Amino acid sequence: MSVSQSYITDLQKIRPTDEEALRQAKRDLATKHGSTIVSNAKILKEYRTHVATDDQDQTLLRVLRKRNVRTLSGIAPVTVLTKPYPCPGRCAYCPTEARMPKSYIASEPAAQRALQLHFDPYQQMKLRIEAFEANGHNADKIELIVLGGTWSYYDEQYQQEFIKGLFDGANGFIADSLAIAQKHNETAQHRIIGLTLETRPDYVTKEELWRMRQFGCTHVQIGVQTLDQQVLDLIKRDDNVQNIARATAMLRDFGFKVTYHLMPGLPGATPEGDYQVFKQVFTDPRFQPDMLKIYPCVVVKSAQIYQWYKDGKYKPYEGKQLLDLLVRIKKDLIPPYVRINRLIRDIPGDDIVAGNLVTNLRQLMHDQGVVCQCIRCREVRDAVPETEVQLMERTYRAGQGAEHFLSFENSDQSKLYAFTRLRLPDREHRITEKLEVVRFFDKKKITMTGNELAFPTDTALIRELHTYGELIPVGSARSATQHIGFGKRLMARAEEIARREGYKKLAVISGIGVRGYYEKLGFTLQDTYMVKEL
């Protein structure tokens, strides 16, 4: 059934403010207009056709939206998968399905979508944008997350083609080259403002990080799993703690945001041992990631540990044992400058042979009165900024430099409105001990150090700038948390600190689609970064 302008006018007069009121309004309007009950998606499409953007009723839009929380972090997250490809690892816990990239299961939601689209990047991007908009969300500012095995092991030509396909999908046409697609995306309707890739620590090299920057990457996820070397050896991770520290240092000194994948409950681990691992992650300056994905280990049939489980050699954490551990970690260890992106992995219960089956761990913790100070738990979402918003400055050591976490928060620090990560590398950057990394898959020996920087040590780095609240379309005149100057004020404060400490330049690891924002602040493009003389 089509939705007429008179239907939209009648709905505006009713102005439902919650889901129940909307359901009743739709029943009444179906009777009045002699129609069936209309879907939210159809109403949204016609509402946006008939009503100018700045005149739209935001309360009505929120009620009509499906899963409104998706864009309340200020961006539209789009997750895509690369094609199935060999992996350079042999990890015992990792699922292995022939039709999926290593470590992914076909029944996971994002994996299902990618499989149906034959892993085509253009179609994956196009359909995710259409889904956002059909459900009432803006997709103007896209945080793109590329999953699927070890990105750095894929063929370089495939990497290039895949990333170009994603930019083409966002732009809505096929460009002649990646460079042209990226240039167009700087001013496109659907801008890719951040790009996440995932890899192994032993594939973090200077050459690889520069290639990631050419693609527009701003955020790298690395599989750490644990800092217990005995456990790493037992699960055949073919990595060591020293290399994890080296890779983290390089990523940070290139300005990337860093996410660790951590996996409590691996073979050989204990709850107390896992607690100490998380403690080391945030007390040892060699680590200090910006974000976490916590994936409690579970048993699936396609992983080697399935046989260990059948033989009685391994049993994963379950129930209260796991919940108690995660409660201790969240309450005791997570700093206010870290975001927990995931608390469990989205593996359907039918695929799990043994291990955690509870999907609402966050809710269970909330019910227990657990107060977590991580970024995700404090995001302002759709709340209106309070009168007493204060600028907070937290400083901590990370690698060979100081991290300044600058943020706007409410008076009791329970709500976070905006933040930036300013990195001041040590002026005398020490040459770290050389480390020989032997890659299992190709037996290649590489001698590495963590002393690889994108810029000289007289350059300060902005590794992230984020304003929370409802995603507002680019160019909208409507006021919201995203458009009341928090970002500019944070940038000004970061410049002030860098200048005071004697740094000559400030470089931002900018996503392609947000370069224009930094140009207005006096930055210019230099080697894929936005740079300003101080």
Side-chain angles (χ1 to χ4, degrees):
M1 178 252 174
S2 61
V3 180
S4 65
Q5 186 168 354
S6 62
Y7 183 104
I8 296 298
T9 301
D10 289 341
L11 183 62
Q12 284 182 297
K13 291 177 181 177
I14 298 171
R15 200 173 183 269
T17 58
D18 57 40
E19 291 185 12
E20 180 53 41
L22 176 63
R23 282 193 288 269
Q24 184 59 50
K26 288 164 66 174
R27 288 193 289 266
D28 293 343
L29 290 173
T31 301
K32 178 178 179 179
H33 290 265
S35 67
T36 58
I37 293 177
V38 185
S39 71
N40 287 13
K42 285 186 177 180
I43 295 173
L44 277 164
K45 182 178 179 180
E46 292 305 314
Y47 185 78
R48 286 177 163 167
T49 299
H50 296 306
V51 182
T53 300
D54 291 334
D55 295 331
Q56 291 172 3
D57 185 325
Q58 298 308 308
T59 300
L60 178 57
L61 283 176
R62 288 191 184 97
V63 176
L64 286 168
R65 286 187 189 117
K66 182 179 179 182
R67 299 192 71 181
N68 191 50
V69 72
R70 281 189 177 273
T71 52
L72 287 182
S73 288
I75 49 89
V78 172
T79 301
V80 299
L81 262 73
T82 50
K83 68 180 182 180
Y85 199 74
C87 175
R90 52 172 186 160
C91 311
Y93 57 83
C94 198
T96 305
E97 291 193 6
R99 58 180 180 161
M100 297 301 300
K102 185 71 177 289
S103 87
Y104 288 90
I105 296 174
S107 55
E108 295 178 87
Q112 282 184 331
R113 294 193 298 266
L115 184 62
Q116 291 168 357
L117 297 170
H118 307 289
F119 302 96
D120 182 285
Y122 185 98
Q123 292 299 325
Q124 289 186 72
M125 175 63 81
K126 178 174 177 288
L127 264 65
R128 293 310 295 150
I129 290 173
E130 290 175 355
F132 270 112
E133 294 182 339
N135 288 311
H137 299 279
N138 291 305
D140 294 25
K141 304 169 188 174
I142 295 171
E143 183 74 48
L144 178 59
I145 305 162
V146 178
L147 303 179
T150 300
W151 168 263
S152 303
Y153 194 70
Y154 279 79
D155 177 77
E156 291 181 19
Q157 182 176 348
Y158 175 77
Q159 292 180 1
Q160 185 94 0
E161 293 171 352
F162 191 85
I163 297 297
K164 178 181 178 295
L166 295 170
F167 276 96
D168 286 342
N171 294 337
F173 70 94
I174 299 176
D176 291 337
S177 68
L178 174 58
I180 293 173
Q182 288 177 327
K183 185 63 179 177
H184 182 84
N185 193 252
E186 291 182 17
T187 55
Q189 178 182 353
H190 304 112
R191 302 178 192 178
I192 298 175
I193 66 168
L195 170 59
T196 298
L197 300 172
E198 59 178 6
T199 193
R200 288 172 54 99
D202 53 348
Y203 276 78
V204 174
T205 65
K206 180 172 63 175
E207 294 74 22
E208 178 64 8
L209 298 189
W210 277 118
R211 183 161 50 251
M212 287 181 171
R213 283 302 299 139
Q214 291 296 329
F215 294 146
C217 178
T218 55
H219 174 201
V220 177
Q221 301 183 41
I222 54 173
V224 171
Q225 320 312 345
T226 182
L227 297 180
D228 186 323
Q229 190 62 53
Q230 289 186 325
V231 174
L232 287 173
D233 293 341
L234 179 62
I235 62 174
K236 303 178 184 178
R237 181 62 182 163
D238 297 310
D239 204 353
N240 58 56
V241 175
Q242 292 85 353
N243 186 50
I244 293 169
R246 177 205 62 81
T248 303
M250 281 194 63
L251 289 166
R252 191 185 291 114
D253 285 329
F254 266 70
F256 289 102
K257 295 177 289 184
V258 181
T259 290
Y260 277 9
H261 293 191
L262 292 174
M263 189 172 287
L266 285 163
T270 65
E272 185 56 36
D274 281 331
Y275 181 86
Q276 293 302 321
V277 165
F278 277 82
K279 184 176 182 179
Q280 183 181 4
V281 165
F282 295 114
T283 55
D284 190 330
R286 295 179 299 163
F287 306 110
Q288 294 283 7
D290 307 302
M291 287 168 271
L292 293 180
K293 283 188 173 180
I294 303 175
Y295 291 154
C297 189
V298 296
V299 177
V300 296
K301 287 186 177 181
S302 61
Q304 186 178 353
I305 58 172
Y306 173 62
Q307 189 61 48
W308 297 2
Y309 171 76
K310 287 178 62 178
D311 294 342
K313 298 177 180 178
Y314 168 63
K315 183 179 180 182
Y317 301 159
E318 295 179 326
K320 188 174 184 300
Q321 185 182 39
L322 175 62
L323 183 60
D324 288 349
L325 172 61
L326 295 178
V327 166
R328 288 183 67 201
I329 289 169
K330 278 178 71 76
K331 286 178 65 175
D332 300 349
L333 303 178
I334 306 300
Y337 49 80
V338 170
R339 190 178 197 272
I340 301 178
N341 289 339
R342 285 291 187 93
L343 202 55
I344 59 168
R345 184 169 167 182
D346 198 10
I347 297 177
D350 291 345
D351 290 304
I352 297 175
V353 177
N356 175 61
L357 292 170
V358 179
T359 58
N360 63 335
L361 285 172
R362 289 182 189 270
Q363 184 61 46
L364 290 176
M365 291 183 182
H366 181 269
D367 294 344
Q368 288 189 15
V370 176
V371 178
C372 176
Q373 61 177 351
C374 90
I375 290 173
R376 176 167 174 163
C377 290
R378 298 189 300 130
E379 292 173 7
V380 65
R381 297 185 183 274
D382 58 350
V384 177
E386 299 176 10
T387 304
E388 296 182 7
V389 175
Q390 58 184 336
L391 174 63
M392 299 290 297
E393 299 187 12
R394 299 178 176 90
T395 305
Y396 59 97
R397 290 290 301 176
Q400 297 182 45
E403 292 285 330
H404 292 250
F405 184 80
L406 313 177
S407 60
F408 281 108
E409 306 178 18
N410 66 343
S411 55
D412 66 2
Q413 300 169 35
S414 63
K415 292 180 181 177
L416 176 65
Y417 298 101
F419 71 87
T420 191
R421 300 183 190 274
L422 169 66
R423 177 163 182 77
L424 303 181
D426 291 347
R427 307 305 286 278
E428 296 182 3
H429 218 270
R430 301 177 301 280
I431 301 296
T432 58
E433 180 182 354
K434 290 185 177 180
L435 179 67
E436 186 177 80
V437 177
V438 182
R439 293 174 175 157
F440 165 76
F441 196 83
D442 56 11
K443 304 298 183 184
K444 187 175 182 180
K445 294 183 179 180
I446 300 178
T447 301
M448 302 177 178
T449 74
N451 191 48
E452 301 284 2
L453 298 91
F455 291 92
T457 56
D458 66 352
T459 302
L461 296 167
I462 295 288
R463 299 193 302 112
E464 183 173 13
L465 175 66
H466 200 125
T467 300
Y468 287 105
E470 180 187 350
L471 195 164
I472 305 300
V474 174
S476 173
R478 183 158 59 86
S479 176
T481 306
Q482 287 195 339
H483 293 311
I484 57 178
F486 284 153
K488 290 180 181 179
R489 291 161 66 186
L490 287 170
M491 288 297 294
R493 179 56 181 158
E495 285 187 36
E496 181 183 339
I497 293 172
R499 188 180 297 109
R500 180 192 71 199
E501 297 299 323
Y503 291 84
K504 303 301 183 184
K505 294 181 180 180
L506 182 61
V508 183
I509 187 166
S510 168
I512 302 297
V514 77
R515 286 174 176 172
Y517 173 84
Y518 293 109
E519 286 179 356
K520 293 177 182 177
L521 298 181
F523 289 77
T524 56
L525 185 63
Q526 177 182 322
D527 295 330
T528 76
Y529 294 79
M530 300 302 292
V531 180
K532 186 176 186 178
E533 298 281 347
L534 299 179

